[in-house]
Amino acid sequence: MHFDAENLLLLAAKESGLEDFGGGAFDHDYRKFVASLNASELLREDREQAIKQYIIRMLVNRARMQKDLVDHPEIERIELLPPVAIVGLPRTGSSKLQRILSASSGLQSLPFWHAHMFGRIPGEPDGGVQQRLQKAKQFEQWISEVVPEFNERHPIHAEEAEEETFLYEACFRSVYFPAMLHAPEYEQWLGEIDFNVSFDYLLTQLKYLQWQFYADKPKPWLLKSPTQLGYEDELTRIFPGGLKMICPHRHPKKVVASSAATLEVFRKLFNKTPDKLKLGQASLQGFSHAMNSHMAWRERNPHIDILDIGFEDITADSVGTAEKVYDFLNIPLSEQARQSIEQWDIDNPREKHGKASYTLENYGLDEQSIDTLFADYTEHFAEYL
């Protein structure tokens, strides 16, 4: 399997009709990413074409946004309202929290198709909304076909709220990539660099999407991504006007095993059968380090507004959870919002896509190791666990 970085750029230019993919660190990071894929022996040969299309899609979207940034310099001058960020460990109910808050409509959520196809199609009067939405639906369908159990772990729906990690992967400096494309050389490189570029690109993308869809009705963006745990300094840097944070909690003994199981399913999209023991250690070491970094950040920034909330509250009482969040944000929760949340619950019962089965032992994990590495966390947040 071989990916030609130059040829992929040419194919993206042909598809988009554009040749400017943006400057800065892009060229270096993009070529580092492609070279790492070529050095990896862990990718599935039968997914080579799918991986190429994945890369071309990101390049095409970059080029389309770059054109609009050049043609409309006012985009970069947009001032976003202070956002709300859900930042915490994965598998803590954060996706449900994001989606019930999105259903309440008081905050600006990110539909998956906006992240998957964020670039406007030149020459289309509405930027090619239907074509872009269709592309996202095709990807959603492809995932369901090639990895049916994907929806058990993290259901993706084109028109439902999704993580912004799917946005800034297009900058090719993303901690999310190893979950999808397993290239050890790239993962090592990620551990040696900073992520200023990634967060700067994310900020530009959010401005770009607001300019496209919400210019006349701005609301605070609702962000959510476990990959941002430990990178709170970057979030506060790009949002100096203010940031409110919601941190969901669940006992690490549940989180770590569930995270490893989720990573295993994500890896199945493009990678050979993963090593379960390595997945377990990646989840244990990665997320314990991220949480310790988060707690240290809290100590340094006691002025940041943070709402802590437990997994059981999120899963058992959607409306009550939304009330806590809206009280925290000083925004009234309307009766219509309550009804929308209740309807979301009816449409999305727990285990709608099947019940996932996993144990610590499946991934070479044990309770003692988790207790040791998460000791400070479990002591500090015991009331939410």
Side-chain angles (χ1 to χ4, degrees), residues 195-211:
F195 290 91
N196 290 358
V197 171
S198 306
F199 284 86
D200 289 342
Y201 196 71
L202 171 64
L203 179 61
T204 298
Q205 288 172 298
L206 293 175
K207 291 180 179 181
Y208 180 51
L209 288 170
Q210 182 158 307
W211 174 79

Side-chain angles (χ1 to χ4, degrees), residues 65-344:
M65 184 175 80
Q66 182 62 21
K67 173 177 170 51
D68 277 331
L69 292 176
V70 172
D71 293 347
H72 300 276
E74 69 272 16
I75 294 172
E76 290 280 19
R77 295 194 293 269
I78 290 173
E79 293 188 12
L80 302 178
L81 294 171
V84 178
I86 301 172
V87 179
L89 292 167
R91 318 308 299 169
T92 54
S94 57
S95 290
K96 179 181 179 181
L97 178 59
Q98 178 193 30
R99 290 172 180 177
I100 62 173
L101 293 177
S102 298
S104 70
S105 74
L107 301 167
Q108 183 54 62
S109 61
L110 175 73
F112 174 72
W113 80 267
H114 284 189
H116 191 72
M117 297 296 296
F118 60 88
R120 294 196 316 162
I121 301 176
E124 294 290 336
D126 62 354
V129 165
Q130 287 305 314
Q131 297 98 308
R132 292 155 63 192
L133 175 58
Q134 186 59 31
K135 282 273 190 180
K137 288 183 175 181
Q138 288 170 355
F139 184 72
E140 174 191 336
Q141 182 61 32
W142 178 78
I143 287 177
S144 297
E145 291 173 356
V146 299
V147 186
E149 64 270 37
F150 197 101
N151 282 331
E152 295 175 5
R153 307 305 308 163
H154 186 90
I156 287 179
H157 302 297
E159 297 178 89
E160 192 158 33
E162 193 47 81
E163 298 179 8
E164 63 273 11
T165 43
F166 290 95
L167 268 177
Y168 63 74
E169 64 181 7
C171 76
F172 294 94
R173 184 181 293 210
S174 169
V175 293
Y176 170 72
F177 267 136
M180 301 289 278
L181 294 158
H182 194 191
E185 186 178 289
Y186 182 80
E187 293 174 43
Q188 181 179 347
W189 175 68
L190 288 178
E192 301 167 354
I193 61 173
D194 64 56
F195 290 91
N196 290 358
V197 171
S198 306
F199 284 86
D200 289 342
Y201 196 71
L202 171 64
L203 179 61
T204 298
Q205 288 172 298
L206 293 175
K207 291 180 179 181
Y208 180 51
L209 288 170
Q210 182 158 307
W211 174 79
Q212 286 188 62
F213 299 108
Y214 316 113
D216 60 343
K217 46 185 176 182
K219 293 185 287 188
W221 278 94
L222 175 62
L223 307 178
K224 175 259 176 180
S225 175
T227 62
Q228 290 174 356
L229 185 69
Y231 293 99
E232 294 81 5
D233 279 328
E234 293 289 353
L235 282 174
T236 55
R237 178 182 65 82
I238 64 173
F239 296 114
L243 171 75
K244 288 198 173 185
M245 189 173 294
I246 306 169
C247 189
H249 299 280
R250 189 183 187 187
H251 201 286
K253 291 175 185 176
K254 294 288 188 180
V255 165
V256 174
S258 184
S259 297
T262 301
L263 181 56
E264 180 180 7
V265 170
F266 271 60
R267 288 268 175 91
K268 287 182 179 181
L269 285 176
F270 299 114
N271 308 277
K272 296 176 183 177
T273 302
D275 184 323
K276 289 179 180 286
L277 300 185
K278 289 183 178 179
L279 293 178
Q281 284 303 306
S283 296
L284 176 63
Q285 300 296 332
F287 288 116
S288 62
H289 174 74
M291 179 49 75
N292 287 333
S293 296
H294 172 77
M295 293 179 67
W297 173 82
R298 283 195 182 212
E299 290 184 8
R300 297 193 307 271
N301 297 274
H303 61 285
I304 301 292
D305 289 331
I306 303 176
L307 173 66
D308 294 296
I309 192 163
F311 173 81
E312 296 301 330
D313 288 333
I314 296 170
T315 55
D317 185 2
S318 296
V319 173
T321 296
E323 288 175 342
K324 289 181 183 178
V325 172
Y326 272 68
D327 285 345
F328 170 66
L329 300 176
N330 295 315
I331 301 174
L333 185 66
S334 68
E335 183 58 34
Q336 182 178 355
R338 293 171 189 271
Q339 293 175 5
S340 295
I341 293 169
E342 290 171 351
Q343 187 60 51
W344 189 93

